[in-house]
Amino acid sequence: MRTFLFQGLVGLSEAMYLWMVAAGLSLIFGVLRVLNFAHGSLYMLGAYLTFYFFGLLGHNFWLGLAIGPVFVAGIGLLMERFFLRWVYRLEVAYQLLLTFAFVLIFNDLVKLIWGPIYQASPMPPGLDSSLSILGQAYPLYNLFIILVGPLIALGLWFLLEKTRWGRLIVASASDREMASALGVNVPRLYTGVFMLGAWLAALGGALSIPIRPVSPGMGEIIIIEAFIVAVIGGLGSLKGAFIGAILIGLLHVYGVFYIPVFEMALAFILMAVVLILRPWGLFGTREV
Amino acid sequence: MGSKEVGRRDFLKYGISLVGTGVLGSQLVYPLDPVYAQTEKKGKIKDPIRIGAQATLSGPFGGYGQFMKMGAQLAVDEINSSGGILGSKVEIEFRDEELKPDVAAKNARYFVDDWGADFLTGLDASSSALGVGAIMGELDRVLIVTHGATEKLTENLVYKQGIKQIFRISVPVYQDGIAAAIVAKDFPAKRWVTIGADYEYGHTAWNFFKATLKKLRPDVEFVEEAWAKFLTSDFGAHITKVMAANPDGIYSTQWAGEAVTLIKQAKLFGVFDKIQTWMTPMGAAMDVLEGLGKEYPEKAWVTCRYWFQYPDTPENKAFVDRFYKRWNKYPHYVSETTYSAIYAIKAAVEKAGTVSTPEIIKALEGMTLMTPAGKRYIRPEDHQAVYQVPWGRITHNPEYPFPTLTDLKVIPAEEYFRKPPFVEA
């Protein structure tokens, strides 16, 4: 039982990275109706830029964390303003082509700038120890990640529910024409939402560098999982992305533990089951 | 759209492509004189002699590819600046095998069919080595594997199936599994677990380790296994799983960047406070030593396929010095194995006086080579180079910018290399 609970804690910390990527993916789809295949690449860029600023600014992890994701939000601004804006009204296939092109470009870009090999960064001081939970050593950093995830969820909830900007987002997501007619600057709002999604993914990447290797292609694995999470939770639903990420995170650790041979397939099976029973996802809204 | 028009278009299309392939093709694809013209010139056998190399060049395993390139480049430059092979220059090109057997096989076909390779070398992943090995009979060039370690390459493909084009210059998984068990038999550890690389190499190494250790120490138990696919970035689940079984010893087959990630995470989970011994066969690879640095626990027992401080011979010292002078780094094991593979090619071509595959195979079988790693004898039965590499324990030595090995355990190759006819372990 103790081991079972401890495994759950391990799964929760993995789930939070998924949540940060899936949150932006789902938010961008919910508002802009764009399936951003390059979202994993923004996670990767977040990791690389944070690593870069970490090295540049006297190996201060927190400074890197403050600057890296903001930089990626700026990249998001350029992506949305000059590229994505032209495909909103086109078929999904065009969106996928365009965003997939970004995946390739970003991958080669990091190889050009930082080389093809992985980078490893040290733990931020103060978080590099472990504490005893359930009779076993548990890394303090993982605990920190488990706290950060819900904080982000709270922040997003506050932003969307309690601020004027958030209400405008919700309004234009449900009726773009009406919002436009009422004088909302919808294009600018869209740019803002895309930047927020990019910042979230980049934050996930930035927070991953002390325990995961930073390498080209690191975004390609997480985008698949984040996509599964978003589909399970319901595309466009942040609550769904949060719950979905925790489900997949737990499924992964218990899969490794109890059904190792099958572990890879579990997430896909869960997605298939959800799609059959509730095609709009656990918390998604049914398209009328 | 009249038929005439189509006809004209077709005429143009085919005409242009014919002219293109006929006139330009010969210039573009083979900008050099064809082989038969070469033989008349100055008696050279073929100029240049081309070697197609493959390694993993990017991502968490990319450190290997970089080090392999350094070793290869050093050998090629040394050979070319001292008159080449029988007067012919050596050319080498690298491609990324991406740890995928299908990509590796595609690269091999490109090298032989389009690029005009006379020899193939490299290959990091066992699965990639098998993927390329399976088509070597058809491609009919000599392949010298410099890293991929599965025993199936030499025992099955060469010895049992008779694909004579395959050779391996690096120690096989006997080093990782059998030699590891011979070292582990002297440890007090009784309860062993594995955190394994979930592909050919990880499984085969663990099986050899278990079978050999059980024979030498009937009292040991193997109590848990956790398998991780390539590109796993969180080992928390695997670490927790094996630790739940209360092990004394952990045997782990992760390598390159994955070994670095795993060991870092295992430290955070307090693994090294609880266990007696950690064994990682590929843990003495230079990129892992550099990647972990001071964080490398001294409980870790490691080996590789060549350790730069062994053997203590003038040849090895000179090689390490030359390598350091050229790259400002100490050689990784794949640097040495690839360096030695290119010298093996040189020796074989000089002995055979030709690059024709059957002659090269004859020249390599039974050859003894002096290399930085010591004397290598290429067994004629399975084309496996026989030499030994020590196991050792991690220590932090102020003389080097990375951890090195102490308590070296040198087991003679005869004691841990499986021999033909390769009955089951």
Side-chain angles (χ1 to χ4, degrees):
Chain A
M1 188 63 204
R2 264 168 126 184
T3 304
F4 183 84
L5 289 172
F6 193 85
Q7 278 285 40
L9 270 182
V10 173
L12 275 182
S13 74
E14 286 182 31
M16 291 310 149
Y17 294 109
L18 268 180
W19 147 241
M20 289 178 227
V21 178
L25 190 72
S26 218
L27 183 73
I28 287 169
F29 183 82
V31 181
L32 280 62
R33 297 283 144 187
V34 170
L35 210 47
N36 180 20
F37 206 74
H39 214 69
S41 303
L42 297 172
Y43 167 89
M44 173 183 76
L45 287 173
Y48 267 101
L49 283 162
T50 302
F51 186 79
Y52 172 73
F53 287 116
F54 160 83
L56 202 67
L57 303 167
H59 286 226
N60 186 323
F61 176 71
W62 306 109
L63 271 178
L65 187 68
I67 300 170
V70 170
F71 218 90
V72 178
I75 293 170
L77 182 142
L78 301 176
M79 265 175 87
E80 197 281 338
R81 180 70 191 71
F82 295 104
F83 296 94
L84 286 176
R85 190 163 287 191
W86 311 109
V87 296
Y88 290 152
R89 288 162 188 274
L90 300 178
E91 288 169 39
V92 172
Y94 289 99
Q95 300 177 1
L96 285 180
L97 274 176
L98 176 66
T99 52
F100 187 67
F102 273 110
V103 172
L104 300 176
I105 291 166
F106 288 145
N107 256 347
D108 282 349
L109 208 60
V110 300
K111 276 188 202 171
L112 275 176
I113 301 172
W114 289 285
I117 309 182
Y118 73 98
Q119 325 263 350
S121 88
M123 276 277 165
L127 289 175
D128 49 2
S129 56
S130 317
L131 67 164
S132 182
I133 299 178
L134 301 160
Q136 290 187 59
Y138 190 78
L140 201 55
Y141 190 82
N142 292 40
L143 212 58
F144 163 72
I145 296 294
I146 293 177
L147 292 176
V148 168
L151 277 178
I152 289 172
L154 265 173
L156 283 174
W157 171 83
F158 183 82
L159 189 75
L160 294 176
E161 299 284 324
K162 302 285 168 194
T163 66
R164 183 170 172 274
W165 193 67
R167 281 200 297 275
L168 290 181
I169 290 173
V170 177
S172 21
S174 56
D175 193 338
R176 187 187 167 147
E177 276 73 25
M178 183 59 80
S180 223
L182 291 172
V184 178
N185 185 340
V186 174
R188 188 188 295 174
L189 199 74
Y190 278 16
T191 308
V193 169
F194 194 84
M195 285 171 73
L196 177 64
W199 179 82
L200 282 170
L203 186 69
L207 287 169
S208 81
I209 66 174
I211 50 173
R212 295 178 170 185
V214 180
S215 72
M218 65 189 276
E220 286 161 35
I221 301 160
I222 199 151
I223 187 64
I224 304 285
E225 290 192 322
F227 183 74
I228 294 173
V229 164
V231 168
I232 288 172
L235 273 168
S237 160
L238 285 176
K239 194 206 276 179
F242 189 67
I243 305 284
I246 289 176
L247 273 178
I248 294 292
L250 293 177
L251 199 66
H252 168 66
V253 292
Y254 291 127
V256 165
F257 211 88
Y258 297 104
I259 13 177
V261 180
F262 228 56
E263 188 258 312
M264 295 284 277
L266 288 175
F268 290 96
I269 292 168
L270 181 64
M271 180 170 77
V273 170
V274 168
L275 282 176
I276 290 164
L277 300 178
R278 275 180 75 93
W280 52 95
L282 297 178
F283 297 91
T285 41
R286 208 166 172 166
E287 297 282 334
V288 185
Chain B
M1 288 289 276
S3 60
K4 247 188 196 165
E5 214 172 350
V6 175
R8 198 187 64 208
R9 249 197 235 157
D10 283 0
F11 173 74
L12 279 175
K13 211 161 55 185
Y14 290 120
I16 286 169
S17 43
L18 269 176
V19 170
T21 47
V23 178
L24 293 175
S26 59
Q27 298 305 311
L28 287 177
V29 184
Y30 297 106
L32 302 137
D33 299 355
V35 182
Y36 57 83
Q38 281 297 345
T39 47
E40 292 162 27
K41 261 205 294 186
K42 294 178 278 178
K44 281 187 192 172
I45 44 171
K46 182 179 180 294
D47 200 4
I49 291 173
R50 290 189 160 153
I51 303 172
Q54 298 193 52
T56 162
L57 292 169
S58 61
F61 300 87
Y64 270 68
Q66 306 307 312
F67 272 110
M68 206 186 263
K69 274 184 168 172
M70 291 178 203
Q73 199 57 53
L74 187 65
V76 168
D77 291 352
E78 283 176 5
I79 291 170
N80 284 344
S81 63
S82 60
I85 300 178
L86 299 179
S88 302
K89 284 261 178 281
V90 181
E91 259 184 31
I92 191 158
E93 184 178 311
F94 266 88
R95 289 215 143 190
D96 193 348
E97 57 115 304
E98 299 175 29
L99 308 168
K100 294 174 186 153
D102 55 325
V103 172
K106 205 167 67 194
N107 289 342
R109 286 187 191 281
Y110 154 83
F111 277 136
V112 173
D113 296 340
D114 302 341
W115 187 67
D118 304 292
F119 297 95
L120 298 180
T121 192
L123 293 168
D124 278 304
S126 278
S127 40
S128 300
L130 291 175
V132 174
I135 59 170
M136 284 324 293
E138 169 199 340
L139 293 178
D140 200 27
R141 296 287 187 281
V142 164
L143 158 74
I144 303 187
V145 172
T146 63
H147 181 204
T150 175
E151 84 292 354
K152 295 179 185 64
L153 184 76
T154 40
E155 292 187 10
N156 294 5
L157 296 189
V158 180
Y159 181 78
K160 287 173 187 160
Q161 294 177 31
I163 306 177
K164 296 276 183 200
Q165 288 84 352
I166 306 168
F167 289 81
R168 175 164 42 208
I169 197 109
S170 48
V171 278
V173 76
Y174 312 150
Q175 179 76 27
D176 313 63
I178 300 170
I182 296 172
V183 172
K185 78 174 190 309
D186 300 328
F187 298 148
K190 275 191 182 150
R191 295 171 64 82
W192 283 91
V193 296
T194 188
I195 296 175
D198 196 5
Y199 76 114
E200 169 63 26
Y201 162 69
H203 286 276
T204 207
W206 173 239
N207 290 339
F208 275 135
F209 180 76
K210 279 194 299 186
T212 314
L213 191 54
K214 196 78 202 160
K215 252 189 243 149
L216 300 169
R217 276 275 301 275
D219 63 319
V220 298
E221 295 171 274
F222 304 99
V223 287
E224 187 57 279
E225 301 178 0
W227 297 97
K229 292 259 181 303
F230 271 140
L231 303 181
T232 294
S233 51
D234 279 294
F235 290 96
H238 310 84
I239 292 165
T240 314
K241 184 183 184 187
V242 299
M243 289 312 283
N246 282 321
D248 314 315
I250 296 183
Y251 176 89
S252 136
T253 38
Q254 271 67 28
W255 49 284
E258 270 184 11
V260 174
T261 307
L262 169 63
I263 290 172
K264 268 173 108 176
Q265 293 177 1
K267 275 188 86 165
L268 288 168
F269 278 96
V271 168
F272 293 94
D273 306 330
K274 286 196 172 164
I275 60 165
Q276 299 166 4
T277 309
W278 174 284
M279 290 185 104
T280 285
M282 291 299 104
M286 202 52 70
D287 59 325
V288 179
L289 299 170
E290 288 178 347
L292 279 166
K294 291 193 173 42
E295 288 187 67
Y296 217 142
E298 297 200 325
K299 271 184 187 176
W301 281 84
V302 295
T303 182
C304 48
R305 314 206 179 281
Y306 154 81
W307 175 242
F308 78 101
Q309 294 173 310
Y310 180 90
D312 194 1
T313 58
E315 286 90 352
N316 191 28
K317 276 206 177 59
F319 166 72
V320 173
D321 286 346
R322 288 197 308 273
F323 192 92
Y324 190 85
K325 206 179 283 168
R326 175 73 197 265
W327 304 112
N328 207 8
K329 276 180 180 288
Y330 288 91
H332 186 295
Y333 69 80
V334 288
S335 309
E336 191 277 344
T337 56
T338 312
Y339 176 93
S340 294
I342 291 168
Y343 271 98
I345 289 170
K346 178 176 189 273
V349 174
E350 284 170 352
K351 191 169 154 189
T354 168
V355 290
S356 116
T357 303
E359 300 300 315
I360 294 290
I361 293 172
K362 265 199 220 105
L364 282 171
E365 285 179 338
M367 181 187 274
T368 302
L369 268 175
M370 197 58 210
T371 63
K375 250 202 192 92
R376 276 179 163 100
Y377 165 65
I378 301 176
R379 275 200 302 217
E381 299 93 340
D382 63 341
H383 294 184
Q384 171 63 53
V386 182
Y387 69 108
Q388 67 260 343
V389 185
W391 270 82
R393 191 171 60 79
I394 289 290
T395 183
H396 295 283
N397 178 349
E399 276 175 54
Y400 292 97
F402 48 83
T404 54
L405 304 190
T406 184
D407 304 344
L408 287 195
K409 294 205 185 293
V410 180
I411 306 157
E414 301 72 67
E415 281 182 36
Y416 70 91
F417 270 55
R418 279 161 56 83
K419 295 172 186 62
F422 304 116
V423 284
E424 285 318 299

